[in-house]
Amino acid sequence: MKLYFEAEKFIKGGLSGLQSRVFQAKLSSSPKHVYALVINTLKLKPYIEEVIKKSGIQKDIKRKCSASLLLLLVYDLAFSPQGRIQSGKHPLKDEVLRHKTRLAAEVTRLKIKHKVKSLTELATEENDDETPVRWIRVNTLKATPDDVFNTAEFKKLESVSRWQDIKAPGYIYTDDYIENLYGVHPRERITESEAYKNGHIIIQDRASCFPAHLLCQADTHDEIIDATAAPGNKTTHVAALSRTLVYAFERDDNRVKTLKMMCQRATDNKDAIHVTHADFTATKPEDFPNVTGLIVDPSCSGSGIFGRGSNNQEQTHDEGRLAKLAAFQFKIVKHAMSFPKARRVIYSTCSVHAEENEQVVAELLNDRELWESGWRLEKRDNVLSTWPHRGLADELKGVHGCDADELAGGCVRATPKEDGGIGFFAASFVNVTRKP
Ligand code: SAM
């Protein structure tokens, strides 16, 4: 029963940050097993609760058993493909097993009610995507919001004033922070729409739109570099916002192909985006004398990502790995800051770890060469000022005698799920010696 007792304490926290909570905890059961059990249970939670209630099992259990523990046991017994409680003999297991037939009957009723053949279908139906809302950006390189919203698929959607109110397909939310960005239900059939097929809309998480917005919010640019571009979300966004030439660098052989495809889909203007298959850190800054703005969104731990797209299921807070990533992140941002006319550099990650975020920012600010050449963090006024979640001030203490809260204002953070999507971090650097 140890597996269940250990899994029990993760139920209350829900899906948010589950992976890191489980993998960072001291457990005697396999973290992989605990994680699988908890996530599968949480995905079906409302259904398991319904079955527990209807079967009346709770009042018949005489031993001490919390609601979370019962949820896990009933999941494994009545909902999981193996249909058994994974433990040796235990009095609580025996008590739950006595209700096996009643639980099975309720599960059958549930399937009939929801018209599904298997319970997995039920989980997929309700949890098709773990993002609370699907964000779509109107790609203004090809279309206007009117072009998109006058199509039959979008006309029928009803407006809501908060993304949290999107509880089912049929609704749309206009974002308060990012222009031309909209939220719909994850089950809205967006990829089947003409607007999607024509490249008039691009699916892009809200926080992932922050870097291009921050680069163009307070500045106009002569030319721009996206240093780490594939698959190209930020590249196409910044091209749409800036209407200037964007150089997009990508060093990975396969990912550069995806980047090229995405850029071709996003614009008919072949001169808008110049894709280069190369290591950005090997570029010569003097070869780009007109570049004034850069986005650096390098490889990171991905700890802010969840859902089926995530490949970080087995990640832990591995300090050695984070240190290596941070060293690379520092190096690539520092390179971006060495471009002769660069006056704004946006650094971002989809990580929630301070090691890859504020600590990299602090190290850049503490770098004498960069400080002397005029690189500072931008003031909050020019960094999505009304966005509530800022950098972690504690991680920015002691930087050149600057006020840590003020520095934190130059950074934005997005909390996974709570802010409507992935966990994200962005910092806006300006060079105070270079005026537009
Ligand atoms: N900005 C992208 C977007 O929004 O679609 C996502 C970028 S992803 C987090 C990081 C990318 O940087 C990966 O495709 C990786 O191959 C690439 N990369 C890492 N190091 C690089 C380097 N030194 N030069 C160019 N690309 C690099």
Side-chain angles (χ1 to χ4, degrees):
M1 288 292 283
K2 195 170 264 170
L3 172 69
Y4 299 95
F5 291 127
E6 292 198 306
E8 180 188 1
K9 46 183 183 284
F10 297 105
I11 292 285
K12 267 214 174 109
L15 287 165
S16 175
L18 176 66
Q19 208 169 293
S20 19
R21 283 189 284 122
V22 171
F23 283 90
Q24 280 168 29
K26 276 208 176 105
L27 300 170
S28 52
S29 313
S30 145
K32 252 163 76 175
H33 288 160
V34 173
Y35 178 70
L37 174 62
V38 176
I39 194 158
N40 289 330
T41 304
L42 285 172
K43 280 181 173 184
L44 286 163
K45 189 167 172 253
Y47 304 108
I48 308 172
E49 282 170 345
E50 188 178 330
V51 163
I52 289 176
K53 195 169 163 211
K54 295 213 163 131
S55 67
I57 176 174
Q58 204 152 15
K59 62 178 185 318
D60 288 347
I61 302 259
K62 301 290 174 254
R63 286 185 178 269
K64 197 171 158 222
C65 179
S66 71
S68 300
L69 185 56
L70 188 60
L71 208 62
L72 291 160
L73 292 167
V74 171
Y75 165 76
D76 251 1
L77 182 62
F79 285 74
S80 74
Q82 62 272 22
R84 64 181 187 86
I85 294 176
Q86 312 170 50
S87 94
K89 269 198 93 51
H90 191 282
L92 184 57
K93 176 178 173 180
D94 293 343
E95 280 204 58
V96 176
L97 281 180
R98 256 182 254 135
H99 296 79
K100 191 172 179 177
T101 318
R102 265 158 74 192
L103 289 168
E106 286 307 331
V107 165
T108 307
R109 275 194 202 109
L110 189 79
K111 284 197 224 165
I112 295 168
K113 180 175 149 190
H114 291 276
K115 299 191 181 79
V116 291
K117 283 198 185 111
S118 104
L119 292 164
T120 356
E121 264 177 76
L122 210 53
T124 319
E125 188 192 313
E126 290 302 309
N127 295 285
D128 186 28
D129 193 309
E130 290 186 68
T131 188
V133 59
R134 165 102 60 232
W135 296 97
I136 50 173
R137 174 167 66 74
V138 172
N139 173 24
T140 54
L141 290 169
K142 268 196 157 176
T144 64
D146 277 353
D147 294 336
V148 174
F149 296 116
N150 283 330
T151 59
E153 292 114 328
F154 284 92
K155 254 189 189 163
K156 62 179 191 222
L157 302 181
E158 193 183 317
S159 274
V160 289
S161 54
R162 295 169 353 119
W163 66 260
Q164 290 88 341
D165 294 333
I166 301 176
K167 302 239 189 298
Y171 299 93
I172 188 157
Y173 161 76
T174 306
D175 190 45
D176 288 336
Y177 297 97
I178 302 293
E179 215 184 339
N180 300 318
L181 188 74
Y182 303 85
V184 293
H185 193 270
R187 267 192 282 137
E188 200 71 65
R189 295 181 182 279
I190 290 300
T191 52
E192 288 168 22
S193 69
E194 281 307 306
Y196 179 80
K197 289 180 192 156
N198 296 336
H200 289 185
I201 54 169
I202 288 172
I203 295 176
Q204 183 172 1
D205 186 88
R206 172 167 65 178
S208 147
C209 296
F210 289 175
H213 175 88
L214 295 179
L215 191 69
C216 300
Q217 181 187 12
D219 226 338
T220 51
H221 291 281
D222 298 338
E223 286 177 3
I224 286 172
I225 284 183
D226 185 347
T228 49
N233 287 310
K234 297 174 187 73
T235 312
T236 52
H237 190 202
V238 82
L241 290 179
S242 66
R243 300 287 164 159
T244 186
L245 173 62
V246 178
Y247 296 99
F249 286 89
E250 174 54 54
R251 73 170 173 196
D252 183 272
D253 299 356
N254 285 321
R255 290 175 65 90
V256 78
K257 290 181 198 150
T258 316
L259 172 65
K260 282 185 181 157
M261 254 162 48
M262 177 153 186
C263 294
Q264 275 161 13
R265 235 172 78 96
T267 176
D268 298 323
N269 175 1
K270 288 193 174 55
D271 300 324
I273 301 169
H274 188 132
V275 174
T276 305
H277 181 195
D279 178 344
F280 171 70
T281 58
T283 52
K284 289 195 187 122
E286 59 276 19
D287 289 346
F288 298 86
N290 300 320
V291 167
T292 53
L294 296 96
I295 293 178
V296 188
D297 179 47
S299 310
C300 70
S301 65
S303 55
I305 298 180
F306 48 78
R308 289 186 299 179
S310 164
N311 60 0
N312 67 351
Q313 303 245 326
E314 310 219 352
Q315 270 182 33
T316 55
H317 191 270
D318 177 342
E319 281 169 24
R321 179 166 175 260
L322 291 182
K324 271 194 197 145
L325 284 166
F328 163 70
Q329 289 152 353
F330 171 84
K331 178 180 163 190
I332 196 164
V333 183
K334 185 166 177 178
H335 185 65
M337 289 174 173
S338 70
F339 280 63
K341 282 225 184 105
R343 52 171 188 264
R344 195 172 292 267
V345 170
I346 309 298
Y347 168 57
S348 61
T349 72
C350 53
S351 165
V352 293
H353 300 311
E355 288 90 331
E356 298 176 89
N357 299 332
E358 290 84 354
Q359 290 180 20
V360 172
V361 169
E363 211 186 327
L364 289 161
L365 292 171
N366 278 326
D367 184 278
R368 200 164 154 180
E369 201 185 333
L370 292 177
W371 187 264
E372 284 174 358
S373 58
W375 286 102
R376 305 285 184 271
L377 260 186
E378 175 60 291
K379 300 270 177 288
R380 179 170 176 155
D381 287 355
N382 287 327
V383 187
L384 278 162
S385 59
T386 56
W387 179 260
H389 296 140
R390 315 307 297 189
L392 305 176
D394 279 354
E395 302 285 348
L396 294 161
K397 280 184 178 152
V399 176
H400 286 288
C402 301
D403 180 87
D405 286 318
E406 204 174 300
L407 291 179
C411 311
V412 282
R413 266 182 174 263
T415 312
K417 300 263 167 84
E418 194 185 316
D419 285 326
I422 61 168
F424 200 79
F425 173 86
S428 178
F429 290 93
V430 275
N431 191 303
V432 290
T433 65
R434 295 176 194 155
K435 296 278 173 248

